[in-house]
Amino acid sequence: MANEDKRDSQEQTEQAEQQAEAQTAEQVEAETANGNAQEGEQPRDGEDTVESLRARLDSLNAAMEAAKEQVLRSQAEAQNARRRADQDIEKAHKFGQEKLVVDLLPVVDNLERALDSLNLDDPSFKAIIEGIELTHKSFIDVLAKHKIEAINPEGEPFDPELHQAMTMVANPDVEPNTVIDVFQKGYTLHGRLVRPAMVVVSKPE
């Protein structure tokens, strides 16, 4: 009986140890499975992080390109503004005295009328004529120095941009629409018309 009890006790002990080992193996397998599952999820987390970084990088690149474009646009606007300012300054230098020129032109007209009204063959007028001619020449030289040029289109085709027709006269000796007489010379300042020439234009009979 004692031996049987001893064998029964050993068998129970061995069974208990086997059950314990089985439970331990199951726990190890379970933990291993959990660990593998967790390790399997880490790459997904890593991929999400890379995608997030790439998205942020793309956003930063887009913002940088927009900033570059804005800077280039601002530089272009600044250059255009500076160019317009330079043009305005240049025009002010060229045409700032336009009103003064217009006011001085009648003086030249009066000198020319005085020469036309005098008898150039009369010796008694010689000194007067020479004085008026010198004054007129000096005046014309000053005007030319400041880029003021006369328009005397007699014999030229009529140009409405530069001439003002006072009347039209039939003249078979010249082509129609030709300037046959100049009442008053015109003038330009740096190529810009400041006073048109007053002219007589031919027309067909």
Side-chain angles (χ1 to χ4, degrees):
M1 294 293 296
N3 291 332
E4 290 177 358
D5 292 336
K6 185 176 182 180
R7 283 196 301 269
D8 293 337
S9 177
Q10 288 178 353
E11 289 175 359
Q12 291 177 356
T13 300
E14 289 175 356
Q15 290 177 357
E17 289 177 355
Q18 291 176 356
Q19 290 178 357
E21 289 176 356
Q23 291 177 355
T24 301
E26 291 176 357
Q27 291 178 356
V28 170
E29 289 177 356
E31 291 176 357
T32 302
N34 291 334
N36 290 334
Q38 292 177 356
E39 290 177 357
E41 293 175 356
Q42 286 178 356
R44 289 196 295 272
D45 293 341
E47 290 176 359
D48 292 341
T49 302
V50 170
E51 291 178 358
S52 175
L53 291 175
R54 287 178 179 173
R56 185 177 179 185
L57 181 61
D58 292 340
S59 177
L60 291 175
N61 287 333
M64 183 176 67
E65 291 299 328
K68 286 182 179 179
E69 184 178 355
Q70 182 64 32
V71 170
L72 293 176
R73 189 181 296 110
S74 298
Q75 290 177 348
E77 291 177 355
Q79 290 177 355
N80 291 334
R82 184 164 54 252
R83 189 180 299 110
R84 287 192 296 269
D86 293 339
Q87 292 175 353
D88 291 341
I89 293 173
E90 183 180 1
K91 289 180 180 179
H93 286 308
K94 284 184 177 180
F95 307 113
Q97 298 178 346
E98 182 174 349
K99 187 177 184 302
L100 176 62
V101 171
V102 173
D103 291 341
L104 290 177
L105 292 180
V107 179
V108 182
D109 297 334
N110 291 333
L111 291 173
E112 292 175 349
R113 291 191 186 99
L115 289 173
D116 291 338
S117 64
L118 293 174
N119 185 359
L120 301 181
D121 297 330
D122 190 342
S124 62
F125 293 123
K126 183 177 180 180
I128 297 174
I129 293 171
E130 289 179 353
I132 295 175
E133 287 178 343
L134 288 174
T135 303
H136 179 264
K137 183 180 183 303
S138 297
F139 218 124
I140 294 299
D141 290 342
V142 171
L143 295 179
K145 181 179 178 181
H146 293 278
K147 305 301 181 182
I148 304 166
E149 298 179 357
I151 302 173
N152 188 12
E154 186 172 352
E156 299 177 1
F158 175 75
D159 185 353
E161 298 293 331
L162 300 175
H163 312 150
Q164 180 178 351
M166 304 303 295
T167 185
M168 298 187 72
V169 177
N171 190 332
D173 297 331
V174 297
E175 292 290 333
N177 207 38
T178 300
V179 176
I180 58 178
D181 194 11
V182 179
F183 285 158
Q184 187 180 72
K185 293 178 181 179
Y187 285 89
T188 60
L189 172 62
H190 289 281
R192 176 192 286 183
L193 183 68
V194 294
R195 192 182 76 178
M198 297 182 181
V199 299
V200 178
V201 184
S202 65
K203 66 177 181 179
E205 290 183 328

